[in-house]
């Protein structure tokens, strides 16, 4: 029932719930059940972000809206919560957390959010010296402190503004023009989220290095234990694990017959409704364009029978031509036309390569007779020309013009 409610919740509510769990787990130790619940919520957020198509690899941070900037932090939150999960196989937990951190850093690099010195360090790999690593950590620590102080400043500014707003509301009503004082709320919110992402990047680089070192230590300890013979697996344990794996695959194959992967959302209007909570992801949606209605509501959608009703139905009509289909319907129509055009071209190429190329050019039934007639006519014309040249030698018509003619 909890999973069903989680799937039906809007994306902003899921993110806020996951952020509260992440903040609680970062400040103090929490129960493992809460940590696993936070990981599950963040995975649902990732799935919804992929379906809604909020981000594109062709975009940068300037192309992303302020309301969607916070969802860049989902992989980072998931990596930190995954690292706090207590499992017997600690190495697998470390690998999963590192994968999410790398995903977060790679996406931020695509969005042009990673500083240049961090990009240069990542391209160089592990060939940097201890002096370079120390300078890099100092620069990262300075960026982290600057981001924390900036977030604190923005928080204090927002609190002072809230207190002044309440005091002004209690003392006197808002006059004309005073509401424009708070127009920079959107810019402050965008600046706050960008600063939060910058702070998360600093922590992600440090956490990634720490997890790599921990994985190396645990791998070395495991190899030492295997070499010393302290960690030998008995045949009974291997058989038990084999049975578990077979039963899991068998159950997964049985579930696959009744489960179907969710189709991605391709309608921008429906995606916006899902983000704002007006629709649910599980709802079926067709690309049906709802035309804008003008005129009196009692006459809209009716067939006017009299001239009076026809004129009344045309009241408040726009001066431009209304669209007959949505952008999604137009795209689907063009895609169908292109598919039909490609299929027709494939058929024409198959016919050309199978019939004309193999059989050779086909001749018409009377084409040979026409060619014979043309040859005879050409021969007759050539003979008549030869006879005329015999009767009229070259220069015969100019004898009277010569002196000795």
């Amino acid at each position: 029932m909890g999973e069903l409610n989680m799937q039906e919740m809007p994306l902003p509510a899921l993110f806020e719930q996951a952020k509260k769990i992440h903040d609680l787990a970062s400040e103090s130790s929490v129960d493992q059940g809460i940590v696993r619940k936070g990981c599950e919520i963040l995975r649902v957020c990732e799935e919804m972000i992929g379906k809604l198509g909020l981000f594109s690899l062709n975009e940068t941070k300037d192309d992303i809206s302020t309301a969607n900037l916070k969802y860049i932090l989902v992989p980072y939150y998931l990596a930190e919560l995954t690292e706090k999960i207590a499992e017997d196989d600690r190495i697998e937990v470390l690998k999963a957390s590192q994968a999410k951190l790398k995903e977060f850093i790679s996406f931020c690099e695509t969005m042009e959010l990673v500083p240049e010195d961090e990009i240069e360090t990542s391209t160089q790999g592990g060939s940097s010296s201890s002096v370079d690593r120390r300078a890099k950590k100092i620069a990262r620590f300075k960026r982290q402190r600057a981001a924390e102080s900036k977030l604190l400043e923005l928080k204090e500014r927002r609190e002072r503004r809230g207190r002044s707003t309440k005091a002004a509301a209690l003392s006197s009503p808002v006059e004309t023009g005073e509401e424009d004082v708070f127009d920079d709320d959107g810019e402050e919110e965008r600046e706050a989220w960008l600063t939060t992402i910058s702070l998360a990047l600093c922590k992600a680089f440090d956490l990634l290095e720490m997890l790599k070192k921990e994985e190396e230590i645990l791998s070395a300890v495991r190899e030492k234990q295997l070499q010393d013979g302290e960690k030998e697996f008995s045949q009974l344990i291997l058989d038990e694990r084999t049975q578990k794996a077979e039963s899991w695959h068998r159950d997964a194959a049985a579930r696959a017959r009744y489960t179907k992967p969710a189709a991605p959302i391709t309608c921008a209007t429906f995606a916006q409704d899902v983000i704002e909570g007006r629709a649910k992801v599980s709802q079926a949606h067709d690309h049906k364009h709802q035309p804008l209605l003008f005129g009196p509501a009692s006459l809209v959608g009716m067939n006017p029978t009299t001239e009076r009703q026809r004129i009344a139905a045309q009241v408040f009509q726009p001066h431009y031509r209304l669209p007959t289909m949505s952008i999604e319907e137009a795209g689907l129509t063009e895609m169908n036309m292109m598919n039909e055009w490609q299929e027709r071209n494939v058929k024409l190429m198959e016919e050309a390569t199978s019939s004309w190329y193999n059989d050779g050019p086909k001749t018409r039934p009377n084409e040979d007779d026409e060619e014979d007639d043309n040859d005879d006519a050409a021969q007759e014309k050539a003979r008549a020309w030869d006879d005329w040249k015999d009767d009229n030698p070259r220069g015969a018509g100019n004898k009277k013009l010569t002196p000795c003619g």
Side-chain angles (χ1 to χ4, degrees):
M1 188 66 182
E3 182 180 359
L4 179 62
N5 294 334
M6 192 184 303
Q7 292 290 342
E8 299 299 333
M9 288 175 62
L11 181 58
L14 285 173
F15 180 80
E16 290 298 328
Q17 188 175 358
K19 187 175 182 300
K20 290 179 181 178
I21 295 176
H22 172 265
D23 296 341
L24 183 62
S26 301
E27 294 174 359
S28 61
S29 59
V30 295
D31 186 30
Q32 286 292 312
I34 298 177
V35 175
R36 294 178 186 275
K37 181 182 178 182
C39 293
E40 185 180 357
I41 294 173
L42 288 169
R43 292 190 188 97
V44 175
C45 289
E46 280 189 331
E47 183 181 357
M48 294 184 68
I49 290 171
K51 287 181 180 179
L52 297 172
L54 298 184
F55 305 116
S56 174
L57 297 178
N58 300 325
E59 296 177 343
T60 60
K61 60 182 179 181
D62 298 330
D63 301 324
I64 301 175
S65 62
T66 304
N68 296 337
L69 274 176
K70 55 187 176 183
Y71 302 125
I72 298 178
L73 295 167
V74 170
Y76 170 71
Y77 289 163
L78 183 56
E80 283 205 331
L81 289 181
T82 304
E83 187 267 334
K84 298 179 184 302
I85 294 178
E87 290 284 351
D88 295 335
D89 194 356
R90 176 65 178 170
I91 296 180
E92 294 299 326
V93 176
L94 295 177
K95 288 181 179 179
S97 180
Q98 290 181 55
K100 285 300 174 183
L101 287 174
K102 291 177 181 178
E103 178 184 346
F104 170 67
I105 295 172
S106 176
F107 184 76
C108 289
E109 184 176 352
T110 306
M111 296 293 110
E112 301 179 357
L113 291 167
V114 182
E116 293 294 335
D117 54 350
E118 296 286 358
I119 297 177
E120 293 176 359
T121 306
S122 62
T123 54
Q124 291 175 2
S127 60
S128 59
S129 61
S130 59
V131 179
D132 296 336
R133 289 196 296 270
R134 183 174 179 274
K136 179 187 65 176
K137 287 186 177 180
I138 292 174
R140 188 183 300 161
F141 179 76
K142 290 181 179 178
R143 287 198 304 270
Q144 183 174 347
R145 287 300 184 190
E148 290 176 351
S149 60
K150 190 173 183 180
L151 285 176
L152 184 60
E153 178 185 354
L154 291 173
K155 182 179 179 182
E156 292 176 353
R157 190 189 307 172
R158 192 180 300 111
E159 290 178 354
R160 288 197 304 267
R161 178 178 297 174
R163 290 194 297 267
S164 62
T165 304
K166 290 180 181 179
L170 293 174
S171 61
S172 61
V174 179
E175 297 180 359
T176 305
E178 293 185 357
E179 63 273 7
D180 297 336
V181 179
F182 310 108
D183 288 344
D184 56 346
D185 285 348
E187 294 296 331
E188 283 190 2
E189 182 182 1
R190 186 175 186 85
E191 186 179 4
W193 282 118
L194 290 175
T195 308
T196 305
I197 294 172
S198 178
L199 178 61
L201 276 171
C202 297
K203 294 181 179 180
F205 281 113
D206 291 336
L207 182 60
L208 186 60
E209 292 179 1
M210 185 187 67
L211 295 181
K212 285 181 180 179
K213 292 179 180 179
E214 185 178 356
E215 184 184 358
E216 291 175 0
I217 295 172
L218 291 178
S219 299
V221 171
R222 175 178 289 184
E223 290 180 2
K224 187 71 167 56
Q225 290 176 349
L226 291 176
Q227 289 176 0
D228 296 343
E230 298 178 359
K231 192 69 176 178
E232 296 180 355
F233 293 103
S234 64
Q235 189 64 31
L236 181 61
I237 296 177
L238 292 176
D239 293 341
E240 182 181 358
R241 292 190 175 184
T242 303
Q243 291 177 0
K244 286 183 179 180
E246 291 179 354
S247 62
W248 186 86
H249 285 289
R250 186 165 51 252
D251 296 340
R255 290 194 303 268
R257 293 181 296 178
Y258 304 102
T259 58
K260 186 190 300 183
I265 299 175
T266 57
C267 180
T269 307
F270 181 63
Q272 188 66 27
D273 292 341
V274 172
I275 293 176
E276 297 177 359
R278 293 191 298 269
K280 299 178 182 179
V281 183
S282 59
Q283 291 180 353
H285 177 71
D286 296 330
H287 301 291
K288 293 183 179 180
H289 173 68
Q290 299 294 336
L292 298 176
L293 301 179
F294 298 90
S298 60
L299 297 176
V300 171
M302 297 176 53
N303 293 323
T305 56
T306 62
E307 186 69 17
R308 180 184 180 86
Q309 292 180 355
R310 187 183 65 81
I311 295 175
Q314 294 179 355
V315 175
F316 303 122
Q317 291 293 321
H319 64 281
Y320 52 87
R321 183 177 297 177
L322 295 177
T324 57
M325 63 175 63
S326 63
I327 299 176
E328 291 80 10
E329 288 177 333
L332 293 175
T333 304
E334 291 185 0
M335 186 173 65
N336 294 332
M337 291 172 60
M338 183 57 66
N339 292 334
E340 293 177 359
W341 181 77
Q342 290 180 350
E343 292 176 358
R344 187 168 64 251
N345 285 346
V346 169
K347 290 182 180 178
L348 292 176
M349 290 299 295
E350 290 178 354
E351 293 177 358
T353 54
S354 61
S355 61
W356 181 83
Y357 180 77
N358 297 329
D359 300 340
K362 296 182 179 180
T363 59
R364 290 178 295 178
N366 300 327
E367 189 173 357
D368 296 336
D369 298 338
E370 292 179 358
E371 289 181 357
D372 295 339
D373 295 340
N374 293 334
D375 293 342
D376 296 340
Q379 290 180 2
E380 292 293 337
K381 185 176 181 180
R383 289 174 183 172
W385 177 247
D386 292 339
D387 295 340
W388 188 86
K389 286 195 294 182
D390 293 340
D391 296 338
N392 301 279
R394 183 178 180 82
N398 297 331
K399 287 183 179 181
K400 293 182 180 180
L401 300 178
T402 58
C404 299

